[in-house]
Amino acid sequence: MQHRTLGTQGLAVSAIGYGSMGLTMGYGPGDEEAGIAAIRRAHDLGVTFFDTAELYGWGAGNNEVLLGKVVSDFRDEVVLATKFGFAQTERGLGLNSRPDNIRTVTDNSLRYLGVDQIDVLYQHRVDPDVPIEDVAGTVKELIDAGKVKYFGLSEAGPQTIRKAHAVQPVSVLQTEYSLFERDVEQLFPVLQELGIGFVAYSPLGRGFITGTAKPAGQYDATDMRNTDPRWQPGNFEKNVEAVNRLGRLATAKGITVSQLALAWLLAQGEHIVPIPGTRSAARVEENAHAADIALTEADLAAIREILPTGGFGARYTEEHAPNWV
């Protein structure tokens, strides 16, 4: 497994990471036994970067506890990332990045993960009611106290990134990025200027790019893809055709369409690490081997012809779309 350095503070991780959200939320009922096997297989294959969040612990089960339990045997060999910033309220899910809540969530995450230090602590979503300088300052306190090693942001815009970085250096920005979703590329010059790495979540388009997508309505009632715009009539058929064309290109190279998509992400810059998630140990192996694939200029040109600007349909419904500032 190749490794990459994210940011200028020394954060070194495997070129392919692992996102654990789908083990407990978002994609129908969880499967703890399969999830444990997937995490262990990832470690066996050299994956060192594992991503979770407080948010993923609500509902079906505590994601941080599950991940922490599995990696406890090889804790010193991996980088654990988690996130704060959401809150459960009487009106539903809200935002809370107040300093006192950050401290509380961090202590909870340390306990749930069973660790003495969180390697990467992200603000999960920007809270418009809390100055980002206060957020960064609080994380700086946690870093100084030894509870956190590196600071990350998720779904943040250029002004927010700059203001946070001026208080506490930001090692990494995490935002959705894939063959289907390219908007974040506009932020890459800022990341390069400031020396910030990038983590791509949903690098396989929430599974669409694996070639296994079904139309909205054919998933479990708790599955987020039922309402994802890319799965709706009109968009769905166009995305299926695009994946089929990508699949033919992948087959000609002797790889899978998922490996093609992950190799494409790695080819976009040395500062990028994707974190595909899966409950399948076999899929973990497939994804990990994408780090060994080198795409030619002809391959990249063929991909651009198929999806020049991304997939069809927004990545979130309007009410859930992040607002970058």
Side-chain angles (χ1 to χ4, degrees):
M1 173 62 69
Q2 301 173 30
H3 287 75
R4 294 185 165 193
T5 299
L6 299 175
T8 55
Q9 284 74 54
L11 174 58
V13 299
S14 52
I16 301 288
Y18 180 88
S20 69
M21 185 190 83
L23 300 182
T24 55
M25 70 171 289
Y27 298 99
D31 185 334
E32 183 170 323
E33 184 176 342
I36 290 172
I39 294 168
R40 286 179 174 160
R41 185 61 181 142
H43 171 254
D44 290 343
L45 292 165
V47 173
T48 65
F49 193 28
F50 293 86
D51 182 274
T52 182
E54 176 200 32
L55 174 68
Y56 310 158
W58 296 332
N62 194 312
N63 200 285
E64 290 176 313
V65 170
L66 174 60
L67 179 60
K69 178 174 66 175
V70 182
V71 305
S72 60
D73 292 338
F74 44 86
R75 166 64 184 105
D76 293 340
E77 302 172 22
V78 298
V79 174
L80 296 179
T82 192
K83 312 176 194 74
F84 65 85
F86 278 105
Q88 291 176 310
T89 70
E90 294 180 356
R91 294 179 292 178
L93 193 62
L95 298 173
N96 186 348
S97 282
R98 295 193 305 271
D100 59 341
N101 190 57
I102 296 173
R103 298 185 189 102
T104 297
V105 172
T106 299
D107 285 341
N108 288 340
S109 293
L110 287 165
R111 184 172 69 256
Y112 294 149
L113 288 166
V115 298
D116 297 323
Q117 186 180 56
I118 295 166
D119 296 311
V120 184
L121 184 65
Y122 291 98
Q123 182 187 38
H124 207 154
R125 290 292 185 273
V126 176
D127 187 341
D129 294 330
V130 181
I132 192 63
E133 293 88 347
D134 293 352
V135 174
T138 303
V139 175
K140 178 178 173 57
E141 292 173 8
L142 294 168
I143 291 173
D144 291 343
K147 293 184 177 183
V148 173
K149 197 168 184 180
Y150 301 107
F151 179 32
L153 296 173
S154 179
E155 295 285 359
Q159 294 181 38
T160 301
I161 295 169
R162 289 184 184 280
K163 290 178 180 179
H165 193 73
V167 176
Q168 167 59 45
V170 177
S171 290
V172 65
L173 172 71
Q174 179 177 148
T175 297
E176 184 172 356
Y177 187 39
S178 72
L179 284 171
F180 272 18
E181 176 52 47
R182 316 285 182 79
D183 284 353
V184 75
E185 290 176 346
Q186 65 187 280
L187 300 181
F188 286 178
V190 174
L191 301 185
Q192 183 176 8
E193 174 193 339
L194 299 178
I196 297 172
F198 182 76
V199 170
Y201 78 78
S202 294
L204 297 174
R206 302 198 177 96
F208 209 124
I209 300 175
T210 65
T212 60
K214 300 178 292 187
Q218 294 188 19
Y219 293 93
D220 182 88
T222 61
D223 197 304
M224 64 190 293
R225 290 170 290 189
N226 288 317
T227 57
D228 191 308
R230 290 175 290 201
W231 268 261
Q232 305 310 308
N235 292 330
F236 179 81
E237 294 80 6
K238 293 176 183 177
N239 287 323
V240 166
E241 173 56 24
V243 172
N244 288 341
R245 292 177 65 190
L246 292 169
R248 291 192 288 272
L249 177 60
T251 299
K253 291 186 64 65
I255 61 177
T256 68
V257 67
S258 296
Q259 290 173 331
L260 180 74
L262 293 172
W264 177 87
L265 277 169
L266 293 173
Q268 303 311 301
E270 288 296 323
H271 66 294
I272 298 170
V273 169
I275 51 169
T278 178
R279 302 170 185 169
S280 165
R283 287 282 189 186
V284 164
E285 185 165 353
E286 176 185 344
N287 294 340
H289 288 311
D292 303 322
I293 297 168
L295 299 180
T296 66
E297 286 301 322
D299 295 330
L300 297 173
I303 291 170
R304 282 194 298 271
E305 183 178 350
I306 296 168
L307 286 172
T309 59
F312 300 90
R315 63 192 181 109
Y316 286 108
T317 55
E318 187 175 350
E319 64 271 23
H320 293 116
N323 179 31
W324 295 346
V325 177

